[in-house]
Amino acid sequence: MVGRMINTVLFTETNSVFGDGFLSLLDDEKEIDLSAVVVRSDGIECDYYLDEAHPVNNRVTAQEKGIMTLAPERTDSPDFIENLREIKPDYFIVANYQLRLTKIVLQIPRLDAINFHPSPLPKYAGLAPFYWMAKNHEVNGGVSAIHMDVGLDDGDIIAQQLLKLHGDESAQQIRDSHFEASWRLLSLVLPTLVDQSYRYVPQDLSQRTYYGSPDAQ
């Protein structure tokens, strides 16, 4: 791997503020070749960000940077799978992408598929962890980078940073602090991806808590 750019594909929601930070960091990293950004098909936006004061469009941002964009309706589409295989990625980085990735897709990267989740897994797996942490008056926050498998947020932990909360923060405050911590975690993890020195630690799934969409409440 010495002297070789690390070929990487980012998966995120089109309007994801979380993903916008990952896109910028990956594009700026000298040893990372951000070959493609996968977003959602036209007209589909993540409802987390519909009221943003400063909205983002990761598809447009990637195109302005000269990065290929893919926007599949389904991740099991043969054309999409073939497009990914042609890229020959070393890594997938997944940051707030809400379509499930099948086993076939997860086997495409040469080295690994890694998901960054803004919660202290195995706690707060699932959707909108910042909302649920605020609702539960959580005092033990954190962010995680995990190896991806076909399960939901249950893969082995690659890196984690724990955060203390006061228990009275708003969902927005928790979101902001956990997004910033996730971006810092990416910066810490990237050198270990380049030299492949990272290790896995299994999650203690007996401690797992999983939450669905706040809209279902």
Side-chain angles (χ1 to χ4, degrees):
M1 298 295 291
V2 176
R4 181 181 182 274
M5 295 281 283
I6 305 302
N7 192 356
T8 304
V9 175
L10 172 67
F11 290 71
T12 190
E13 295 292 303
T14 306
N15 62 329
S16 173
V17 174
F18 191 59
D20 177 69
F22 279 80
L23 199 166
S24 295
L25 286 165
L26 290 168
D27 184 55
D28 287 344
E29 177 59 46
K30 294 179 180 178
E31 293 181 280
I32 298 293
D33 178 11
L34 184 55
S35 297
V37 175
V38 180
V39 294
R40 299 296 292 279
S41 55
D42 289 345
I44 298 179
E45 294 188 326
C46 179
D47 57 7
Y48 296 175
Y49 311 103
L50 295 181
D51 297 321
E52 287 296 316
H54 303 288
V56 303
N57 187 316
N58 290 310
R59 188 174 192 170
V60 171
T61 299
Q63 290 171 345
E64 289 175 345
K65 293 176 177 290
I67 301 168
M68 177 195 304
T69 60
L70 301 171
E73 292 184 5
R74 297 168 55 95
T75 59
D76 60 357
S77 159
D79 288 344
F80 175 61
I81 291 171
E82 182 59 27
N83 286 336
L84 289 176
R85 285 176 172 157
E86 288 175 355
I87 293 169
K88 298 181 179 179
D90 296 307
Y91 290 104
F92 288 165
I93 300 293
V94 179
N96 184 200
Y97 187 70
Q98 295 189 346
L99 290 182
R100 293 283 295 272
L101 300 185
T102 65
K103 183 176 181 180
I104 291 174
V105 172
L106 290 173
Q107 290 175 335
I108 291 174
R110 187 176 68 87
L111 295 174
D112 215 338
I114 298 171
N115 180 43
F116 284 79
H117 185 74
S119 88
L121 292 172
K123 301 291 187 181
Y124 296 99
L127 301 177
F130 42 87
Y131 169 87
W132 296 109
M133 281 190 251
K135 184 177 177 66
N136 294 341
H137 303 285
E138 183 60 65
V139 296
N140 296 308
V143 298
S144 308
I146 64 170
H147 165 72
M148 287 191 73
D149 54 30
V150 293
L152 291 173
D153 300 331
D154 61 359
D156 293 345
I157 293 172
I158 292 170
Q160 194 168 65
Q161 184 176 54
L162 301 181
L163 302 173
K164 294 301 295 182
L165 300 171
H166 298 293
D168 59 359
E169 291 92 344
S170 68
Q172 181 71 41
Q173 289 172 320
I174 295 173
R175 192 195 86 165
D176 291 348
S177 67
H178 282 61
F179 281 14
E180 290 172 3
S182 295
W183 298 331
R184 292 195 300 270
L185 188 65
L186 173 65
S187 295
L188 292 173
V189 166
L190 281 176
T192 72
L193 302 187
V194 172
D195 65 15
Q196 301 174 49
S197 63
Y198 62 94
R199 297 290 182 267
Y200 300 134
V201 177
Q203 290 190 48
D204 180 359
L205 297 179
S206 71
Q207 300 299 311
R208 176 178 168 90
T209 58
Y210 181 91
Y211 293 89
S213 171
D215 293 339
Q217 299 301 301

